[in-house]
Every structure is written in C-alpha cells, then in structure tokens.
Amino acid sequence: MASDQNTILKEGGTMFISLHPFHENDPWHLPLLIVFFTASTGIWLYSFSRWKNLLVSIYCFYFEPSTDDACPPDLLQGKEPHVTVQICTYNEAHVVEETISRCCKLDWPLHKLSVQICDDSTEKESITIIENCVLRWREKGFAVSRHARPNRIGYKAGNLNHNFPFVEGEFVAYLDADHQITADFLRKTVPHFYDANGVSNDHIGLVQTPWSYYNTHENLLTECDALGLDIHHVVEQVGRHRAHGVFGFNGTGGVWRKEAIQAAGLFSSDTVTEDLLLSYKAYLAGYDFHYVRTAPQQLEVPGNFLAHIQQKQRWTKGFIQVLWIFYGEVLVSPNTPFQVKLEAFLHLCGPLQLIMTALVFMVYPYLVYHQIDSLMVKAVSVSAIVEPVASALHALTNKVPGENGYYNLWWSRLLRLTVILPYFALRFGMSAFEVKAVLEGFFSDDATFLTTPKAGLKNNICERTNARKIKVCPTDDLTAFAGLCLAFHQTIYVFALDGRLHGCGLFDIFIRAMNMIICIGLYWVNSSFLITKYCNHLETLCMSFSQQKQRAFGVVFIVGVNCFMVMTYSQLSDGLQNSTPHLSLTDLRDSSTPWACPAHAYATVKSPELLVVFGEPRTGSNLFFNILDGLQDGAGEQLDIRNMLEPYTHDEAEQVRLLRRCVNAMHEGCNLPVHIDGGDETWAYSTTQRFFARLKGESGSAWSLSYQKLMEVFNSRYKRQADWIKYISSIPSASEHSVVAFKIFREHLDELSMSPVQFIKSLGRAKSVPIILWRRSIIETFVSYKLAVQKNAWLLENTTEKDAIRIERLELELFIDEKRRYYESIRDGLAANGIDVDVVEYGRDLSNRGAQIKTIGRLQERLGVVGNVLAEQIIAKTILKKQAQVPLYQQVENWDEVMTWGYGKDAHDWEDIFVRA
C-alpha cells in the first residue's frame, strides 16, 4: 500500500506524480522530527528560568508580603536629595501634558525637584502644547524646562544622552510621555537608595516600579496586552530581583543613580532597547537594582494592532540585538556568578520561547499521525503550556491594583480569567512577526527607534489618526501574509488530518485545543493587521470587534472564520480518502518564462545578457552608451545591444523615450503591430499616460496580450523592480547574442531601497555583467555637476567664463566623501559576493581617442563579438560634445584657493579605488 502512494504513472504520454503529503517516506518526515525535538529542548532549557522566577515570585508574594517594599514614610523627611525627572517625548503632546502636570504635583520639596521634557518633537502642534504647558507651570514656581535638539541622531538613546548633562542632583527618574505617576512616586522609590538609618547605599543603581494601565478595558487587545505585561512584572521582574538582584530596566517608571548611568557609559543607540543594555552595563559596573512591586504607575498599552505589532517587534529585536552585541561581555565577566550569566542568556533569548512553543504544537499532529508518540513527547507538550498558564494565574491573583482601581474586587479578577485564552491566541498569533524581529535582531544593524503613538488618558485622539502615525515596515505585509498562510496550513493539519484519527483521549483533546488557539491567533492577528492598515472602510469595523460591548461579535467572527475553514478542509480530507491526487507536470508553468510576448515567440530564444552600468551623473555614461550603440552597428547580426537608458528615471521625457524603444523592440521580436518611427515626434508626449493612451488606441487586440502588461510592469517598477527588468530583457531578438544595457544611478538605488549587490541578486538567474563608471578627476566632476544643476541642463557645451561658480571647501569635501563611500560600498559588496565586475574610469578609458579604442576592444572581448570591429568608425559615429568652451580653471572663481586645498593639481584627485590585479 505504501508503494502505491509513492509512484510515477504515465497516461497517454503525460507524466503524473502521486505522493501522499504525510507519508512516512516524504522528505518532510525527518526535518519535522528535528524541528520538534530541537524546539522542545529549547523549551526545557528556558523553562528552568521561567519556573525559577515563578516559584521565587510566589514565595515573595505569599511568604514575604510587601515587607521588602516597606519604607518609613518619614525616612528622608527634611533630607530629601535633589531629583531630576526627565520625560522623553516625540510628537506626543496629547499625553505628555498630563504627565508634566503629575510630575509637578509630586510629594517632594519644590526646590529639590527639576522636571525636564526631553522633546524630539517635529510637529508644530506638539511643540506649542508642550511649551505652553511648561510656561504655565514655570509661572507657578516649578523648575520645569523643555530641552530640544537640532536633530534626532540616536533616536531615544540620543535624546537621553544629549540631555544627560542637564541632570541636577544625584538621582534621575525617567518617564515615557504617557506614564501617569502618582504623587508618592518619589516617596516610594528614592528611599530605597538609603538604608534604614538614612545612609546612602551606593551600590544601588536603579529602583524600578511596576506598571498599571489606564486603558486596560479599551478593547480585547488591550486586555490581552495588559495581562502579558502583568506576567512580566509580577513573575519575571520580581523573580530576577529576588534571586539575582539584577533585572532589565523597563525604560520608564524607574529612578537611576546618576553615577550608575555614567559608569555604564550612558545610553547606547546600537540597539532599540537601550534601557535593557544600560541595565546589564550598570550591573557589570558593580551596581545592584531594586524592584518596588507595590508601587504600580499607570501608562497606556497600544490600542490597535499596528501599534501593538510595532512595539512588540521593537522589543523582540532589541533583546536579540543586546544578546548579539553585549552578551559576550557578560559571559567573560570575572565578577559575574555563573547563575547570573545563565539567567542573562535565557532572559535575552526570551523571544525565542514563543517561536519554539508554537513549533512544538504545530508539529505535534504530524508526530501523532505517524504514531511517533511517547511519554517524553507528551511531557514536552504539556510543559510548554503549564508554566505560562501558572504564570498567568499568579499574575491575575497577585497583581497590585493601580491608581484606576482595576481588579480591586475579587470578582473582577475572576472575570479576568476569560482573557487567558485570548492572550495565548494573541501571543501565538504574533509568531510570524516575532520570527521576523528575531531575524532582524541577528542580521540587521538597523537601530531605528519607532515611537508607539498614544491616545492619552482622555482618549482625545481617534484611532484612525493614531494608526496613520505608525510607521510600518514594508516587510510586515509579507510577514502578515506568511502568518495567514501558516494559519491556513495549520487548519488543514488539525482538521483534515488529525481530526480523522481515532484518539479521543484527554491529552488529544488538549493538543487539538491548543492548535485551534494557534489557528485563531494567527487569523486574528494577521488579518487584523492587514485590515487596519489597508481597508479604510473596514477599519472602524475591525476596531469595533474588540470593543467591550461588542466583544461577543468579535468572538463570533473569529470562530465563524475557523468553522468555515474546518468545513472546507473536512471536505478536502474526504476527497483525499476517496481519490488519489495527481499533479500533471505538463500543467506546471515555469516561473522564469518571459512574458513580454506571446508564448510562441520564445521557441528558439536564448536569455539575453544584462549589462548593468552603475555610476553617477557626470561620469561619462552618455559617452559610454554611445560607444555601445556604435559597437552594435559594427557587430552586425551576431550581436543585438538594446540600449534601455535609465529604466528607473523620474524624467518623464526619458521615460517616454525608453517606452518607445520597448515598443519598437516588441515590434521586431514579437511581431506586434505598433512601430514608432524615430522621426515621428507626435509620440513624444510630455506624459507617459498619454503615451499609453495612444498605444492602446493603435494596438487593437494586441493591447490586452502584451502592451497592457508593459503598462502594468512600468507603473509598478519601484515596487517590483525585478519584474520591470525581466520584462525588458524578455523581448526576443533574432540575433545570436543579445545584450540589454541600462544605467543604474545611486538615486535609483535609493528609490528602490537597494544596494548594488541586492539589485544584481534581484535579477535572479539572468546573466548579468556589472560595469562601474566613475571619475577620478573629482574637481571636474563637481564643477560639471554644479553647473548642470545651476543651468538645469546636462549638456554644457555653451559654458563660458561667465558661468563660473565658487566652490566652498566643506561642500566639496562632503561631495568627495559621499562619492568615495558610495563607490567603496559597491566595490566591497560585489567582491564579498564573488561578483565579477568591469570598471570604466573616465580619465583612463573614455577621455581621449586612444582610451576609447582600448575600451571598445575590452567590450568586444567581454561581449564575445567575433571579427574586426573598426573602433575608429565607432568613435567617428559617436556623438561627442564638449562640456565647456573654456578650461576647468576658468569655470571656478576661486581656483587658486582650491589649489591650496590640494585638489586640481593632478587629473586624478584621489587614489584608484578599483585597483586592477
């Protein structure tokens, strides 16, 4: 029977493959086993830390009830130290105003308190609100000030470092813009820097308070998010504090000793969790931390999925960044106990736990199907969920109510039990985004800090306005779709396969229930993200799913979607049982097949060679492409060079010129009807829209076959850049050897958000020959570029002494440095990836007739042109226009001054970056 499921059948000359997707011999069998046992091993290792923190926290709450947090109310009465409160904000005036007011109402001597708003705001409204608020409180006698800086270098870390010199006194409290502290905040934190006799404990570097949330009941998302944060504060922070005296600073709601921050080297902008890195640096510098679990301070949790995903991805990425860049110092620290090193490692690897747990439950149905079941497998699966459930119950039971009074009554805590399952669904639903953030943490050095927009205590900003302020990474869309595909796949797994098994034990039901929760979470999170981001008409409906009064409607929606999937794939499962699935190989389409022309046009066509010319303006690109045109004429039928100019240009006239070339190439290679005569200027419209309108009118039925596709790939060339190049290169040619040549300038790469190496790799399997154009006569390049910008024309044959410009040294040196870094990045990137490249330097290869003859010979050899191609004839046909009627020194007003800077004395102002072997 097994052999019948893995056979190749032939029917009428057509080949079919039949392979049961879950057969024991299928290629996924061993990889899935490895995934399961690797993930389960990771869970076991991490569970040591989780269980230890949970048990320590339980001991603290039940056997040391609040005694460790108690401070005599008059401990520092009359001897209060000076404290500075710094509020870090970025375009958050609607929430920071309340925070400023609460800081000014702190129970602390007025002359011993300074409130500083570290404002990076760029919105005029935010700046005005903050300045007015500061002015009101200053008029009342409070030491309140706003500190701004000219740029946002280093983001939040840079903001805090910039304002650290303004800290007054030996203690500084850090607050986020939405952190609504209570009046006794300093009375409950600062005394912990002293012993019972009022003597300073110099080894205490940080006192941290837990969080509460003023918008917990806003929707189901905020309920789940608040529960997750409560688990962090009640279990993890308390456990690490009591067991090791070290934990991660939460970035807000904490008071630091100024000397501890200095000893740690201030805040680092190399990671998006600068608070976490500062904690470990301060610990290695010899400081201990204290956690005041009975003094919660309220703030806001994200109220929509865009903000939630952005925030959680930032935290996950930051953890991995700290692990990657700093854990080595913790590991080799001679004064750090082994248990702290282990705890730090497991702490920083925390984001991996969710991924491993999801993998265990998602692979488990496969193991059951193949009867790969044992006590160990069951124990691993159960342990993966028992500790999180126990932690959630402990957090619900022992959460200290905040100022808003949530969960003061026992029945309110009991009702909160209903949030546990949605919380797990939310956490599992974040799996795809967590994986993306982990990969970015390991392989990306980007430390851009994206601030999460807040609505405020009074909720005076609508959700739609708030959502528009969120900067979502483009790859998040792909991640969301991947998450939906994963949910789709897992639904098939659970209901179409596992649902047909005979096992109905309690454990089987438990495993299926957990997989159901994973499916619901994946659908919920990823679909809500996409709907909130793209569907403006459904945005309000999406938000209303989680409103408290309409929560039932949201639950019905999610369950309904899953029931639909269950019924659909139950039918699919029955189909698998009653018939043998066959896949006809003749129906498969080759994804690499070009589609510029009808399929019959590609019967004997070979893939063209891509000549990718990287360069900058004023490096001889027009001259180089004129030489290519001349080489085309001299090579005859053995070589077809299609000069496609700048495929990503923003110049509409150049775009129309490029489209004309494409249409004519399709006329010759695809036998399509439209041909544009070179002398027909009626096609040279000012807009591409008019060009396509005329093309549609003259092409007839051919429009829907090919020209419409041309318009589609052209209009989406910045989103799907590889499709545009593939389309151009797919136009057939009758020549034995065809070459498609085009220019890629740095401005094009910036528009595409790609490096030269990434662009080359995006072309896929296409054979590409990168060529680099550059110019060592940097003064001539700079002057030529400045004149072109000044005259708004790239051909400068009419330039005279009257057009001379003045060169500023700083501008010139920045220009040189920018060019150098660009070309060095090209050189190093191509070399690191083993990509062969040809270099054409203007002064050496294009500036005179002899150099041009040698360059033609090199190109002829590189492109495989056989026979004698008369270089002199090519040069004679090449259009050469002088860039100026006067020498270079007459084009610069302060030429003598420039000479003193060390430039212009030689034709080559800098060394040869591309030294040939």
Side-chain angles (χ1 to χ4, degrees):
M1 183 66 181
S3 61
D4 293 337
Q5 290 180 334
N6 189 12
T7 57
I8 299 179
L9 308 175
K10 291 185 178 180
E11 298 179 7
T14 303
M15 184 177 293
F16 296 92
I17 288 182
S18 174
L19 180 65
H20 195 291
F22 295 96
H23 189 267
E24 61 184 2
N25 293 324
D26 82 72
W28 288 103
H29 189 70
L30 182 60
L32 287 176
L33 286 178
I34 295 175
V35 167
F36 178 84
F37 286 106
T38 301
S40 60
T41 302
I43 292 174
W44 273 105
L45 290 175
Y46 191 76
S47 65
F48 289 125
S49 171
R50 298 277 299 184
W51 276 108
K52 182 263 299 176
N53 289 332
L54 174 60
L55 294 175
V56 171
S57 178
I58 291 175
Y59 178 82
C60 290
F61 277 94
Y62 288 100
F63 298 97
E64 294 181 355
S66 71
T67 55
D68 190 52
D69 287 339
C71 286
D74 58 347
L75 177 61
L76 298 176
Q77 198 70 37
K79 300 179 182 178
E80 295 88 347
H82 195 108
V83 178
T84 299
V85 180
Q86 288 196 338
I87 306 169
C88 195
T89 179
Y90 172 65
N91 295 332
E92 301 168 284
H94 292 284
V95 291
V96 76
E97 191 173 11
E98 174 68 17
T99 303
I100 297 172
S101 299
R102 287 176 175 252
C103 289
C104 293
K105 297 176 183 178
L106 284 169
D107 178 16
W108 207 253
L110 192 60
H111 64 285
K112 295 291 185 69
L113 177 65
S114 300
V115 180
Q116 300 175 355
I117 296 86
C118 306
D119 187 18
D120 264 2
S121 299
T122 55
E123 296 177 356
K124 292 183 179 179
E125 180 185 7
S126 294
I127 296 173
T128 303
I129 291 175
I130 292 174
E131 288 180 342
N132 291 338
C133 182
V134 169
L135 183 60
R136 287 197 307 270
W137 286 104
R138 288 182 65 88
E139 291 175 349
K140 295 178 182 179
F142 289 87
V144 185
S145 58
R146 173 181 176 268
H147 297 264
R149 54 184 183 143
N151 53 57
R152 294 192 66 219
I153 295 176
Y155 302 98
K156 183 178 180 180
N159 189 7
L160 296 174
N161 289 339
H162 176 80
N163 293 288
F164 186 76
F166 302 109
V167 172
E168 302 176 26
E170 58 178 317
F171 301 109
V172 53
Y174 287 113
L175 301 177
D176 281 349
D178 60 320
H179 213 134
Q180 316 293 348
I181 57 176
T182 56
D184 59 354
F185 171 70
L186 294 181
R187 294 291 179 189
K188 289 186 176 182
T189 53
V190 176
H192 289 284
F193 289 100
Y194 299 83
D195 62 17
N197 298 319
V199 179
S200 176
N201 288 326
D202 294 335
H203 64 94
I204 300 296
L206 164 68
V207 176
Q208 174 73 52
T209 59
W211 296 351
S212 61
Y213 325 97
Y214 55 72
N215 65 327
T216 303
H217 297 316
E218 181 180 339
N219 53 53
L220 184 58
L221 173 62
T222 56
E223 291 270 13
C224 296
D225 200 7
L227 175 58
L229 292 172
D230 285 344
I231 294 173
H232 166 71
H233 284 280
V234 173
V235 178
E236 297 177 7
Q237 294 292 73
V238 172
R240 293 192 182 103
H241 165 231
R242 295 293 291 137
H244 307 296
V246 59
F247 51 86
F249 171 46
N250 293 124
T252 179
V255 181
W256 277 90
R257 187 183 296 274
K258 183 178 178 181
E259 294 176 355
I261 299 177
Q262 291 173 322
L266 303 186
F267 295 87
S268 173
S269 58
D270 294 332
T271 172
V272 292
T273 50
E274 73 296 324
D275 44 11
L276 180 64
L277 182 55
L278 178 69
S279 305
Y280 279 106
K281 286 185 174 181
Y283 177 78
L284 293 188
Y287 288 92
D288 294 327
F289 305 153
H290 189 86
Y291 190 77
V292 188
R293 66 177 186 269
T294 58
Q297 309 296 316
Q298 65 179 5
L299 44 68
E300 179 176 329
V301 288
N304 63 73
F305 274 95
L306 297 185
H308 176 82
I309 290 171
Q310 174 183 287
Q311 185 185 73
K312 296 305 179 286
Q313 282 192 126
R314 186 180 75 234
W315 290 351
T316 298
K317 178 180 176 180
F319 268 68
I320 300 301
Q321 285 176 331
V322 175
L323 171 70
W324 190 248
I325 67 179
F326 189 73
Y327 181 72
E329 296 188 31
V330 178
L331 185 63
V332 300
S333 174
N335 299 323
T336 303
F338 171 77
Q339 62 268 25
V340 175
K341 294 179 181 180
L342 179 61
E343 177 64 26
F345 177 76
L346 296 175
H347 178 207
L348 297 176
C349 291
L352 300 177
Q353 184 204 25
L354 169 67
I355 301 170
M356 292 185 292
T357 303
L359 285 175
V360 164
F361 285 111
M362 295 174 74
V363 175
Y364 184 81
Y366 184 93
L367 303 181
V368 174
Y369 183 86
H370 291 292
Q371 298 180 350
I372 307 172
D373 202 359
S374 66
L375 180 62
M376 176 184 175
V377 171
K378 292 184 177 181
V380 167
S381 302
V382 171
S383 66
I385 197 65
V386 169
E387 184 277 326
V389 171
S391 295
L393 292 174
H394 175 56
L396 291 178
T397 306
N398 295 285
K399 165 70 176 177
V400 178
E403 180 186 1
N404 51 30
Y406 291 166
Y407 314 121
N408 271 325
L409 302 176
W410 66 268
W411 57 264
S412 63
R413 295 177 185 267
L414 187 63
L415 285 176
R416 203 181 183 195
L417 292 173
T418 60
V419 182
I420 293 181
L421 288 182
Y423 163 70
F424 286 134
L426 175 65
R427 296 295 292 133
F428 286 128
M430 287 290 297
S431 298
F433 292 100
E434 294 272 359
V435 170
K436 169 181 170 288
V438 167
L439 294 176
E440 288 181 346
F442 277 121
F443 303 110
S444 172
D445 58 357
D446 179 31
T448 303
F449 189 99
L450 300 178
T451 303
T452 305
K454 308 295 193 308
L457 185 61
K458 300 178 182 178
N459 199 17
N460 49 10
I461 303 179
C462 69
E463 286 292 344
R464 182 170 298 182
T465 302
N466 233 346
R468 287 172 182 160
K469 298 174 70 175
I470 300 171
K471 297 180 180 179
V472 181
C473 179
T475 54
D476 284 343
D477 297 346
L478 181 62
T479 305
F481 281 114
L484 288 175
C485 291
L486 190 61
F488 200 75
H489 165 269
Q490 195 64 11
T491 305
I492 300 175
Y493 235 158
V494 176
F495 294 102
L497 295 174
D498 191 39
R500 293 191 286 111
L501 299 180
H502 298 292
C504 297
L506 182 62
F507 184 75
D508 296 317
I509 295 174
F510 165 74
I511 291 298
R512 289 168 183 154
M514 289 308 305
N515 275 276
M516 184 63 182
I517 290 174
I518 292 176
C519 292
I520 292 176
L522 288 169
Y523 287 129
W524 179 30
V525 172
N526 295 284
S527 61
S528 295
F529 170 83
L530 293 172
I531 292 173
T532 305
K533 182 178 179 183
Y534 288 110
C535 300
N536 292 331
H537 297 293
L538 295 177
E539 184 174 335
T540 304
L541 180 62
C542 174
M543 291 300 175
S544 69
F545 284 169
S546 52
Q547 292 295 330
Q548 189 173 16
K549 62 181 181 181
Q550 298 179 354
R551 188 176 301 171
F553 178 65
V555 173
V556 170
F557 169 78
I558 296 173
V559 173
V561 169
N562 280 274
C563 289
F564 172 78
M565 302 295 290
V566 169
M567 291 186 292
T568 302
Y569 290 105
S570 293
Q571 295 178 0
L572 174 62
S573 173
D574 295 336
L576 286 172
Q577 286 183 303
N578 300 327
S579 63
T580 303
H582 290 138
L583 174 65
S584 174
L585 299 184
T586 57
D587 291 336
L588 295 178
R589 293 182 177 272
D590 182 4
S591 60
S592 62
T593 301
W595 23 251
C597 303
H600 61 77
Y602 299 105
T604 59
V605 173
K606 295 181 180 180
S607 299
E609 191 173 18
L610 301 182
L611 203 63
V612 187
V613 180
F614 294 105
E616 286 274 78
R618 323 313 294 163
T619 55
S621 60
N622 288 330
L623 178 57
F624 180 79
F625 273 76
N626 286 337
I627 290 177
L628 285 179
D629 287 338
L631 189 62
Q632 157 75 64
D633 296 336
E637 294 184 357
Q638 64 174 308
L639 179 65
D640 177 21
I641 301 179
R642 272 179 258 147
N643 182 354
M644 290 302 177
L645 309 172
E646 300 177 45
Y648 299 103
T649 180
H650 285 285
D651 188 303
E652 196 129 31
E654 288 296 312
Q655 292 174 0
V656 172
R657 186 181 171 197
L658 171 60
L659 291 171
R660 291 174 63 174
R661 294 192 177 211
C662 289
V663 169
N664 285 340
M666 294 166 69
H667 170 75
E668 298 175 1
C670 307
N671 196 27
L672 291 177
V674 180
H675 178 268
I676 304 174
D677 186 7
D680 187 359
E681 293 299 326
T682 61
W683 279 87
Y685 294 117
S686 58
T687 65
T688 56
Q689 185 178 3
R690 294 179 181 177
F691 177 90
F692 283 117
R694 178 168 177 179
L695 181 62
K696 183 176 182 179
E698 296 194 10
S699 59
S701 61
W703 167 258
S704 61
L705 294 176
S706 298
Y707 295 132
Q708 184 174 355
K709 191 65 179 179
L710 170 64
M711 183 178 71
E712 291 174 1
V713 295
F714 174 80
N715 290 334
S716 63
R717 62 193 182 280
Y718 292 113
K719 295 181 180 179
R720 299 185 308 217
Q721 64 281 349
D723 285 358
W724 177 224
I725 298 299
K726 289 177 182 178
Y727 185 93
I728 294 174
S729 60
S730 70
I731 303 175
S733 172
S735 298
E736 184 178 323
H737 183 193
S738 61
V739 175
V740 176
F742 51 88
K743 311 176 190 177
I744 299 294
F745 289 163
R746 186 179 54 176
E747 62 183 83
H748 303 145
L749 293 172
D750 292 342
E751 182 76 23
L752 299 173
S753 298
M754 302 179 76
S755 68
V757 174
Q758 290 172 328
F759 183 83
I760 292 293
K761 290 184 176 180
S762 73
L763 302 179
R765 301 176 183 176
K767 183 181 179 182
S768 57
V769 180
I771 293 180
I772 298 175
L773 287 179
W774 75 303
R775 195 169 188 165
R776 288 177 64 188
S777 52
I778 193 66
I779 289 291
E780 188 174 358
T781 305
F782 180 75
V783 172
S784 178
Y785 181 80
K786 291 283 289 184
L787 286 172
V789 173
Q790 178 177 299
K791 302 179 71 172
N792 195 26
W794 291 111
L795 295 177
L796 306 174
E797 63 269 20
N798 297 323
T799 300
T800 64
E801 190 174 357
K802 295 180 180 179
D803 300 308
I805 63 172
R806 180 175 182 82
I807 298 179
E808 300 295 337
R809 183 169 185 175
L810 178 59
E811 183 182 12
L812 173 62
E813 291 180 346
L814 289 174
F815 180 85
I816 295 173
D817 182 63
E818 185 180 27
K819 302 296 180 188
R820 182 190 300 276
R821 284 189 285 108
Y822 170 64
Y823 281 112
E824 286 178 346
S825 68
I826 296 180
R827 177 197 64 191
D828 297 341
L830 295 177
N833 288 270
I835 300 175
D836 190 23
V837 65
D838 201 352
V839 180
V840 177
E841 195 276 312
Y842 182 84
R844 178 184 59 207
D845 302 314
L846 296 175
S847 61
N848 56 66
R849 191 172 296 273
Q852 293 170 8
I853 292 175
K854 292 181 180 180
T855 300
I856 292 172
R858 285 167 53 198
L859 287 172
Q860 179 181 346
E861 180 181 356
R862 186 68 182 262
L863 298 176
V865 179
V866 182
N868 295 323
V869 177
L870 298 179
E872 293 288 348
Q873 295 181 3
I874 294 177
I875 295 174
K877 293 180 180 179
T878 301
I879 302 175
L880 297 175
K881 293 187 178 182
K882 289 187 64 177
Q883 294 296 305
Q885 297 179 359
V886 295
L888 180 62
Y889 67 86
Q890 292 186 15
Q891 300 175 45
V892 180
E893 295 178 356
N894 56 330
W895 177 260
D896 293 337
E897 182 183 1
V898 173
M899 293 283 288
T900 63
W901 301 340
Y903 303 108
K905 296 181 180 179
D906 192 293
H908 299 153
D909 294 317
W910 53 7
E911 73 278 5
D912 192 347
I913 297 176
F914 304 94
V915 178
R916 294 177 181 171

